[in-house]
Amino acid sequence: MAEQSHDPWQSAMDHAVAVARKAGEMVRAALQVQDKCSPVQTKTSAVDLVTETDQEVERLIIQSVKSKFPSHSVVRRALCAHYCPTWIIDPIDGTTNFSFVVEGTRLWACASGFAVNQQVEWGVVYSAIEDKMYTARRGRGAFCNGRPLQVSPQTGQRESPYRCPTDSSLRKVLSLPVHGVRGAGSAALNMCAVAAGFVEVYYETGIHVWDVAAASVIVTEAGGVLFDTTGEGAVDLMSRTIVAANNKPSPRESSSSWTPAVQDNNI
Ligand SMILES: O=P(O)(O)O[C@H]1[C@H](O)[C@@H](O)[C@H](O)[C@@H](O)[C@@H]1O
Ligand SMILES: [Mg+2]
Protein backbone atom coordinates (compact mmCIF):
# COMPACT_ATOMS: atom_id res chain seq x y z
CA MET A 1 0.00 0.00 0.00
CA ALA A 2 1.26 3.49 -0.83
CA GLU A 3 2.16 6.04 1.85
CA GLN A 4 -0.87 7.89 3.26
CA SER A 5 -0.89 11.59 2.50
CA HIS A 6 -3.49 12.91 5.00
CA ASP A 7 -1.42 12.20 8.09
CA PRO A 8 1.69 10.32 7.09
CA TRP A 9 3.25 10.34 10.54
CA GLN A 10 0.14 8.74 12.05
CA SER A 11 0.02 5.95 9.51
CA ALA A 12 3.71 5.31 10.11
CA MET A 13 3.02 5.09 13.84
CA ASP A 14 0.09 2.72 13.32
CA HIS A 15 2.37 0.59 11.23
CA ALA A 16 5.03 0.65 13.97
CA VAL A 17 2.48 -0.68 16.47
CA ALA A 18 1.59 -3.58 14.16
CA VAL A 19 5.25 -4.36 13.47
CA ALA A 20 6.09 -4.18 17.18
CA ARG A 21 3.44 -6.82 17.95
CA LYS A 22 4.84 -9.07 15.28
CA ALA A 23 8.40 -8.47 16.49
CA GLY A 24 7.36 -9.17 20.08
CA GLU A 25 5.83 -12.51 19.06
CA MET A 26 9.00 -13.36 17.18
CA VAL A 27 11.18 -12.61 20.19
CA ARG A 28 8.94 -14.55 22.57
CA ALA A 29 9.06 -17.58 20.30
CA ALA A 30 12.84 -17.26 20.08
CA LEU A 31 13.10 -17.60 23.87
CA GLN A 32 12.36 -21.31 23.39
CA VAL A 33 15.32 -21.82 21.04
CA GLN A 34 18.77 -21.65 22.59
CA ASP A 35 20.59 -20.68 19.38
CA LYS A 36 18.33 -17.74 18.79
CA CYS A 37 19.17 -16.26 22.19
CA SER A 38 22.92 -16.70 21.98
CA PRO A 39 25.16 -13.72 21.24
CA VAL A 40 26.59 -13.69 17.73
CA GLN A 41 29.89 -12.14 16.70
CA THR A 42 29.52 -8.74 15.08
CA LYS A 43 31.96 -5.92 14.50
CA THR A 44 30.59 -4.17 17.57
CA SER A 45 29.64 -7.19 19.65
CA ALA A 46 32.33 -6.48 22.25
CA VAL A 47 30.27 -3.54 23.42
CA ASP A 48 26.87 -4.23 21.97
CA LEU A 49 25.36 -7.67 22.57
CA VAL A 50 23.57 -8.94 19.48
CA THR A 51 21.70 -12.22 18.95
CA GLU A 52 20.34 -13.86 15.84
CA THR A 53 16.92 -12.71 17.00
CA ASP A 54 18.03 -9.06 17.14
CA GLN A 55 19.13 -9.45 13.54
CA GLU A 56 15.93 -11.19 12.44
CA VAL A 57 13.72 -8.58 14.07
CA GLU A 58 15.83 -5.80 12.59
CA ARG A 59 15.35 -7.31 9.12
CA LEU A 60 11.61 -7.63 9.71
CA ILE A 61 11.28 -3.96 10.66
CA ILE A 62 13.51 -2.67 7.88
CA GLN A 63 11.75 -4.72 5.21
CA SER A 64 8.29 -3.74 6.35
CA VAL A 65 9.16 -0.03 6.60
CA LYS A 66 10.87 -0.05 3.24
CA SER A 67 7.92 -1.69 1.51
CA LYS A 68 5.28 0.53 3.09
CA PHE A 69 7.19 3.81 3.46
CA PRO A 70 9.88 3.76 0.78
CA SER A 71 10.91 7.35 1.41
CA HIS A 72 11.68 6.74 5.09
CA SER A 73 15.12 5.88 6.43
CA VAL A 74 15.65 3.23 9.10
CA VAL A 75 18.70 3.62 11.30
CA ARG A 76 20.15 2.58 14.61
CA ARG A 77 22.91 5.14 14.73
CA ALA A 78 21.64 8.63 13.97
CA LEU A 79 18.87 10.83 15.21
CA CYS A 80 18.27 12.40 11.81
CA ALA A 81 20.66 14.92 10.40
CA HIS A 82 18.28 16.22 7.78
CA TYR A 83 14.61 16.54 7.21
CA CYS A 84 14.32 12.93 6.09
CA PRO A 85 11.72 10.99 8.11
CA THR A 86 13.76 8.43 9.99
CA TRP A 87 12.84 5.36 12.03
CA ILE A 88 15.27 4.81 14.89
CA ILE A 89 14.84 1.20 15.87
CA ASP A 90 15.99 -1.05 18.67
CA PRO A 91 14.81 -4.53 17.64
CA ILE A 92 15.35 -5.82 21.19
CA ASP A 93 16.07 -3.31 23.89
CA GLY A 94 17.34 -5.38 26.79
CA THR A 95 19.18 -8.00 24.75
CA THR A 96 21.17 -9.06 27.80
CA ASN A 97 18.01 -9.96 29.69
CA PHE A 98 16.67 -11.72 26.63
CA SER A 99 19.89 -13.53 25.84
CA PHE A 100 20.73 -14.79 29.30
CA VAL A 101 17.11 -15.49 30.16
CA VAL A 102 17.72 -14.12 33.61
CA GLU A 103 14.86 -13.69 35.96
CA GLY A 104 13.17 -10.58 34.70
CA THR A 105 13.08 -11.58 31.05
CA ARG A 106 10.05 -9.37 30.85
CA LEU A 107 12.49 -6.46 30.78
CA TRP A 108 13.07 -6.39 27.09
CA ALA A 109 11.09 -4.50 24.52
CA CYS A 110 10.84 -3.79 20.82
CA ALA A 111 11.23 -0.07 20.26
CA SER A 112 10.81 2.30 17.33
CA GLY A 113 11.11 6.06 17.40
CA PHE A 114 10.44 8.32 14.45
CA ALA A 115 12.33 11.57 13.94
CA VAL A 116 11.91 14.31 11.40
CA ASN A 117 14.33 17.20 11.32
CA GLN A 118 15.90 16.04 14.59
CA GLN A 119 12.57 16.04 16.38
CA VAL A 120 11.10 12.78 17.66
CA GLU A 121 7.52 12.74 16.38
CA TRP A 122 6.35 9.49 17.87
CA GLY A 123 7.59 6.49 19.82
CA VAL A 124 6.38 2.91 20.18
CA VAL A 125 7.74 0.56 22.86
CA TYR A 126 6.26 -2.93 23.15
CA SER A 127 6.86 -5.15 26.15
CA ALA A 128 5.66 -8.42 24.66
CA ILE A 129 5.96 -10.51 27.81
CA GLU A 130 3.61 -8.13 29.59
CA ASP A 131 1.63 -7.35 26.44
CA LYS A 132 2.09 -3.65 27.12
CA MET A 133 2.14 -1.36 24.12
CA TYR A 134 3.46 2.10 25.03
CA THR A 135 2.83 4.77 22.42
CA ALA A 136 3.13 8.53 22.17
CA ARG A 137 2.79 11.04 19.43
CA ARG A 138 4.25 14.52 19.93
CA GLY A 139 1.52 16.87 21.17
CA ARG A 140 -1.04 14.09 21.53
CA GLY A 141 -0.28 12.36 24.80
CA ALA A 142 1.25 9.07 25.86
CA PHE A 143 -0.57 5.79 26.33
CA CYS A 144 -0.15 2.21 27.48
CA ASN A 145 -2.57 -0.15 25.77
CA GLY A 146 -4.67 2.91 24.97
CA ARG A 147 -4.79 4.21 28.57
CA PRO A 148 -3.31 7.69 29.11
CA LEU A 149 0.00 7.85 30.95
CA GLN A 150 0.91 10.48 33.50
CA VAL A 151 4.17 10.86 35.37
CA SER A 152 4.23 10.71 39.15
CA PRO A 153 3.21 13.91 40.97
CA GLN A 154 5.85 13.11 43.60
CA THR A 155 8.07 16.02 44.53
CA GLY A 156 9.50 14.97 47.87
CA GLN A 157 11.54 11.96 48.82
CA ARG A 158 9.30 8.92 49.03
CA GLU A 159 9.44 6.18 51.65
CA SER A 160 11.13 3.18 50.12
CA PRO A 161 12.38 -0.17 51.38
CA TYR A 162 15.55 0.17 49.35
CA ARG A 163 18.78 1.44 50.81
CA CYS A 164 20.56 4.50 49.56
CA PRO A 165 23.33 3.44 47.15
CA THR A 166 26.96 4.09 47.81
CA ASP A 167 27.73 4.53 44.12
CA SER A 168 29.83 7.66 44.01
CA SER A 169 29.35 8.35 40.31
CA LEU A 170 25.62 8.43 40.79
CA ARG A 171 25.88 10.76 43.72
CA LYS A 172 28.31 12.96 41.85
CA VAL A 173 26.12 13.26 38.79
CA LEU A 174 22.79 13.80 40.46
CA SER A 175 23.96 15.21 43.80
CA LEU A 176 21.00 13.59 45.48
CA PRO A 177 20.64 11.60 48.69
CA VAL A 178 18.75 8.92 46.79
CA HIS A 179 16.59 6.46 48.63
CA GLY A 180 15.50 3.80 46.15
CA VAL A 181 17.51 2.38 43.30
CA ARG A 182 16.61 -0.18 40.64
CA GLY A 183 18.78 -1.15 37.72
CA ALA A 184 17.16 -4.01 35.89
CA GLY A 185 17.82 -3.09 32.28
CA SER A 186 15.91 -2.09 29.21
CA ALA A 187 16.37 1.60 28.96
CA ALA A 188 13.15 1.97 27.00
CA LEU A 189 11.06 0.22 29.66
CA ASN A 190 12.73 2.13 32.47
CA MET A 191 11.75 5.34 30.74
CA CYS A 192 8.22 4.02 30.25
CA ALA A 193 8.15 3.36 34.01
CA VAL A 194 8.83 7.07 34.52
CA ALA A 195 6.07 7.91 32.04
CA ALA A 196 3.65 5.60 33.84
CA GLY A 197 4.44 7.19 37.21
CA PHE A 198 5.94 4.05 38.78
CA VAL A 199 9.26 5.76 39.41
CA GLU A 200 10.38 9.36 39.40
CA VAL A 201 13.75 9.28 37.68
CA TYR A 202 15.70 7.18 35.25
CA TYR A 203 19.33 8.00 34.59
CA GLU A 204 21.98 6.37 32.45
CA THR A 205 25.28 7.15 30.84
CA GLY A 206 26.73 5.23 27.90
CA ILE A 207 23.30 4.81 26.39
CA HIS A 208 22.65 5.01 22.63
CA VAL A 209 20.11 6.99 20.68
CA TRP A 210 18.23 3.84 19.62
CA ASP A 211 17.80 2.83 23.28
CA VAL A 212 16.05 6.08 24.17
CA ALA A 213 14.55 7.70 21.05
CA ALA A 214 11.17 5.95 21.19
CA ALA A 215 10.68 6.35 24.93
CA SER A 216 11.84 9.99 24.94
CA VAL A 217 8.56 11.21 23.50
CA ILE A 218 6.60 8.80 25.71
CA VAL A 219 8.15 10.48 28.77
CA THR A 220 7.58 14.04 27.61
CA GLU A 221 4.03 13.35 26.46
CA ALA A 222 3.26 11.86 29.87
CA GLY A 223 4.31 15.19 31.40
CA GLY A 224 7.89 14.25 32.20
CA VAL A 225 11.14 16.01 31.41
CA LEU A 226 14.42 14.99 29.82
CA PHE A 227 17.71 16.63 30.58
CA ASP A 228 21.40 15.99 30.56
CA THR A 229 23.31 14.58 33.48
CA THR A 230 24.59 17.95 34.58
CA GLY A 231 20.98 18.80 35.32
CA GLU A 232 21.51 22.06 33.46
CA GLY A 233 21.04 21.45 29.78
CA ALA A 234 18.41 20.11 27.44
CA VAL A 235 18.87 16.49 26.51
CA ASP A 236 20.76 15.60 23.36
CA LEU A 237 19.67 12.10 22.39
CA MET A 238 22.98 11.57 20.63
CA SER A 239 25.03 12.50 23.69
CA ARG A 240 24.89 9.03 25.28
CA THR A 241 23.66 10.35 28.60
CA ILE A 242 20.12 10.94 29.73
CA VAL A 243 17.98 11.77 32.71
CA ALA A 244 14.24 11.20 32.38
CA ALA A 245 12.22 12.47 35.31
CA ASN A 246 8.75 13.36 36.44
CA ASN A 247 9.91 16.91 37.07
CA LYS A 248 13.05 18.95 37.16
CA PRO A 249 13.78 20.20 40.65
CA SER A 250 15.30 23.57 41.16
CA PRO A 251 18.88 23.47 42.52
CA ARG A 252 17.58 24.28 46.00
CA GLU A 253 15.23 21.27 45.93
CA SER A 254 17.69 18.93 44.40
CA SER A 255 19.21 17.71 47.61
CA SER A 256 16.13 15.79 48.60
CA SER A 257 13.50 15.59 45.96
CA TRP A 258 13.57 12.38 43.99
CA THR A 259 13.37 8.63 44.32
CA PRO A 260 15.37 7.59 41.29
CA ALA A 261 15.18 4.41 39.27
CA VAL A 262 18.77 4.43 38.30
CA GLN A 263 20.84 2.48 35.87
CA ASP A 264 24.52 3.11 35.83
CA ASN A 265 26.11 0.35 33.78
CA ASN A 266 28.67 2.24 31.87
CA ILE A 267 30.67 4.52 34.13
O1 LIG B 1 19.77 -4.33 24.80
P1 LIG B 1 20.32 -3.13 24.14
O2 LIG B 1 19.54 -2.68 22.97
O3 LIG B 1 21.80 -3.25 23.85
O4 LIG B 1 20.13 -1.89 25.15
C1 LIG B 1 20.66 -1.79 26.43
C2 LIG B 1 21.79 -0.82 26.43
O5 LIG B 1 22.79 -1.19 25.52
C3 LIG B 1 22.41 -0.72 27.82
O6 LIG B 1 23.39 0.29 27.83
C4 LIG B 1 21.37 -0.39 28.85
O7 LIG B 1 21.91 -0.43 30.13
C5 LIG B 1 20.19 -1.28 28.79
O8 LIG B 1 19.21 -0.83 29.70
C6 LIG B 1 19.65 -1.25 27.40
O9 LIG B 1 18.46 -1.88 27.38
MG1 LIG C 1 18.69 -0.91 23.52
Side-chain angles (χ1 to χ4, degrees):
M1 203 169 121
E3 291 177 48
Q4 310 284 313
S5 56
H6 60 289
D7 187 348
W9 298 174
Q10 187 61 45
S11 45
M13 183 170 157
D14 295 343
H15 187 66
V17 168
V19 175
R21 278 198 199 288
K22 207 165 169 181
E25 280 164 27
M26 201 183 222
V27 181
R28 285 189 71 162
L31 278 168
Q32 312 304 321
V33 184
Q34 180 65 44
D35 282 356
K36 290 191 178 288
C37 307
S38 303
V40 293
Q41 291 293 325
T42 69
K43 279 188 209 152
T44 57
S45 60
V47 287
D48 193 8
L49 192 67
V50 177
T51 65
E52 195 181 307
T53 309
D54 288 82
Q55 295 171 328
E56 281 176 7
V57 174
E58 185 165 320
R59 280 195 294 275
L60 168 86
I61 300 171
I62 292 173
Q63 280 163 13
S64 87
V65 174
K66 284 292 163 195
S67 69
K68 196 161 164 90
F69 302 98
S71 64
H72 294 185
S73 299
V74 186
V75 299
R76 288 191 82 195
R77 303 190 190 280
L79 181 52
C80 183
H82 308 292
Y83 175 76
C84 177
T86 304
W87 293 55
I88 303 155
I89 62 167
D90 195 346
I92 305 175
D93 181 47
T95 300
T96 303
N97 290 351
F98 162 72
S99 184
F100 294 103
V101 197
V102 288
E103 196 180 339
T105 45
R106 70 184 186 85
L107 289 172
W108 53 263
C110 304
S112 293
F114 181 76
V116 184
N117 216 8
Q118 301 206 326
Q119 173 99 58
V120 180
E121 293 290 340
W122 53 252
V124 170
V125 174
Y126 183 47
S127 175
I129 297 287
E130 305 171 292
D131 192 20
K132 287 187 175 171
M133 181 71 74
Y134 294 93
T135 56
R137 175 118 189 249
R138 190 165 67 89
R140 302 199 188 169
F143 302 86
C144 178
N145 292 347
R147 286 190 308 279
L149 294 176
Q150 181 65 50
V151 293
S152 161
Q154 183 75 28
T155 53
Q157 191 167 350
R158 188 162 66 178
E159 286 303 313
S160 161
Y162 302 104
R163 299 285 305 274
C164 185
T166 55
D167 185 322
S168 63
S169 60
L170 167 63
R171 286 173 172 276
K172 211 183 311 165
V173 173
L174 290 181
S175 304
L176 295 169
V178 294
H179 199 82
V181 178
R182 319 294 285 155
S186 179
L189 287 179
N190 285 343
M191 289 172 71
C192 287
V194 174
F198 301 144
V199 295
E200 280 76 43
V201 181
Y202 158 73
Y203 144 78
E204 188 162 354
T205 65
I207 201 75
H208 291 96
V209 62
W210 57 86
D211 299 310
V212 295
S216 67
V217 64
I218 295 173
V219 169
T220 52
E221 285 300 315
V225 288
L226 302 172
F227 45 96
D228 68 17
T229 47
T230 67
E232 302 295 324
V235 75
D236 169 1
L237 295 183
M238 297 296 287
S239 71
R240 305 201 56 194
T241 71
I242 193 164
V243 181
N246 65 328
N247 61 55
K248 188 172 177 183
S250 66
R252 237 167 7 99
E253 290 174 304
S254 71
S255 62
S256 64
S257 57
W258 296 333
T259 305
V262 178
Q263 200 165 333
D264 189 16
N265 296 347
N266 300 292
I267 289 179

